């Protein structure tokens, strides 16, 4: 019998420099250490059936990431989370583990939106909060997005990809923004694209390495409402 499990985990501190591919490898090693035999795909080149909801860009932190995996083993989820945390390095922590119903739709396919905290250094002459607010009130917001075919940055309309702005705060010389962005397929928006466009609007130098990005939550659509991803899967009560 096949069982499907979901992890909610955080990725912080030095682990923000761990790439998505290296994170997958880390989980594979962790499962081997704690005795979880992952199910594999069929075909010529079978792969472990573990899926991370939405790749996190290098340098980003997160307090709410999701992964699912399939196995023929049945586990107590509390013990599974404890064993996993004991085998993981500092900066990666399992926050919740649960067994969920089998479904042909994986967790990555459920993701529609993501919320972020974005912190941007402003220098010694920060603008007024109202000036920042006027950026979001524009009829059109253009960002540079990478074209998959040409591999070049091209200007694209992005206002429709910013679904909510929950906080605009200037603390000292730092601008803090909390926002919800589209995160589904071709409609995915990287918060750094927003930071770059905002810096251009404010007339300040954009430096990627000085921007701090923290992903707060991933959301899907279920029961006709936007809900955290953990609410978009059904528990396995069997």
């Amino acid at each position: 019998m096949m069982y499907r499990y979901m992890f909610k985990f955080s990725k912080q501190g030095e682990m923000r420099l761990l790439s998505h591919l290296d994170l997958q490898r880390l989980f594979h090693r962790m499962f081997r250490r704690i005795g979880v035999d992952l199910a594999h795909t069929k075909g010529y080149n079978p792969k472990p059936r573990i899926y991370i909801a939405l790749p996190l860009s290098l340098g980003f932190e997160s307090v709410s990431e999701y992964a699912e995996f399939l196995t023929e083993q049945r586990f107590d989820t509390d013990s599974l989370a404890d064993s996993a945390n004991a085998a993981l390095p500092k900066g990666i922590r399992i926050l919740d583990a649960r067994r969920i119903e089998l479904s042909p739709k994986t967790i990555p396919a459920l993701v529609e939106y993501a919320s972020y905290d974005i912190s941007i250094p402003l220098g010694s002459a920060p603008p007024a909060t109202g000036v920042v607010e006027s950026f979001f009130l524009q009829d059109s917001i253009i960002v540079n997005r990478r074209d998959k075919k040409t591999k070049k940055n091209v200007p694209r309309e992005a206002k429709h990809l910013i679904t909510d702005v929950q906080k605009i705060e200037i603390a000292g010389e730092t601008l803090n923004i909390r926002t919800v962005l589209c995160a589904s397929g071709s409609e995915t928006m990287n918060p750094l694209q927003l930071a770059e466009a905002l810096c251009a609007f404010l007339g300040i130098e954009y430096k990627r390495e000085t921007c701090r990005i923290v992903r707060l939550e991933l959301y899907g659509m279920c029961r006709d409402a936007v809900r955290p991803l953990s609410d978009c899967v059904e528990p396995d009560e069997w």
Side-chain angles (χ1 to χ4, degrees):
M1 184 173 179
M2 193 69 67
Y3 297 100
R4 183 184 179 212
Y5 294 86
M6 182 181 73
F7 276 162
K8 180 178 180 179
F9 65 97
S10 58
K11 183 172 183 274
Q12 297 176 288
E14 292 183 358
M15 289 296 103
R16 72 188 188 280
L17 302 176
L18 191 72
S19 71
H20 179 66
L21 184 58
D22 285 337
L23 179 62
Q24 289 180 310
R25 291 169 177 155
L26 176 67
F27 277 134
H28 292 167
R29 291 196 299 269
M30 179 269 290
F31 283 124
R32 287 198 296 270
R33 287 172 184 164
I34 66 175
V36 175
D37 296 322
L38 295 174
H40 285 67
T41 59
K42 307 296 182 181
Y44 181 75
N45 186 27
K47 297 180 180 179
R49 296 183 66 180
I50 174 173
Y51 309 99
I52 297 175
L54 186 68
L56 193 65
S57 296
L58 194 67
F60 289 14
E61 294 182 86
S62 178
V63 296
S64 188
E65 295 296 285
Y66 295 88
E68 70 166 86
F69 64 94
L70 282 83
T71 177
E72 293 182 356
Q73 298 166 280
R74 184 182 176 94
F75 295 97
D76 172 79
T77 51
D78 289 338
S79 297
L80 181 64
D82 290 342
S83 298
N85 281 324
L88 287 168
K90 181 180 179 181
I92 305 287
R93 181 161 184 83
I94 305 300
L95 306 174
D96 181 50
R98 63 182 67 178
R99 191 168 59 252
I100 57 178
E101 283 189 347
L102 291 170
S103 171
K105 198 168 188 178
T106 63
I107 282 179
L110 298 175
V111 179
E112 297 285 346
Y113 306 99
S115 59
Y116 297 91
D117 271 347
I118 305 171
S119 298
I120 305 171
L122 295 173
S124 57
T129 302
V131 176
V132 181
E133 291 174 348
S134 66
F135 168 82
F136 292 99
L137 294 174
Q138 297 177 101
D139 293 331
S140 175
I141 296 177
I142 304 298
V143 302
N144 289 318
R145 302 189 70 184
R146 189 172 179 82
D147 186 274
K148 291 184 179 180
K149 292 183 179 179
T150 64
K151 307 301 181 184
K152 295 180 180 179
N153 287 334
V154 294
R156 296 281 178 83
E157 175 59 55
K159 185 175 176 65
H160 65 292
L161 303 179
I162 306 169
T163 64
D164 192 16
V165 180
Q166 300 171 339
K167 181 181 74 174
I168 298 174
E169 174 189 82
I170 296 177
E173 298 180 356
T174 302
L175 170 60
N176 299 308
I177 295 171
R178 180 167 295 173
T179 184
V180 181
L181 305 177
C182 287
S184 176
S186 62
E187 295 291 88
T188 299
M189 183 176 182
N190 190 309
L192 285 176
Q193 297 167 348
L194 176 61
E196 181 182 23
L198 180 54
C199 286
F201 179 85
L202 297 175
I204 62 177
E205 185 179 4
Y206 167 71
K207 295 181 179 180
R208 170 176 176 153
E209 64 275 11
T210 63
C211 295
R212 181 171 184 251
I213 310 291
V214 180
R215 187 145 73 195
L216 303 175
E217 187 57 86
L218 294 172
Y219 302 91
M221 288 292 300
C222 60
R223 298 185 290 279
D224 299 321
V226 176
R227 301 178 187 273
L229 212 58
S230 55
D231 294 342
C232 295
V233 292
E234 296 296 330
D236 181 1
E237 304 291 354
W238 177 254

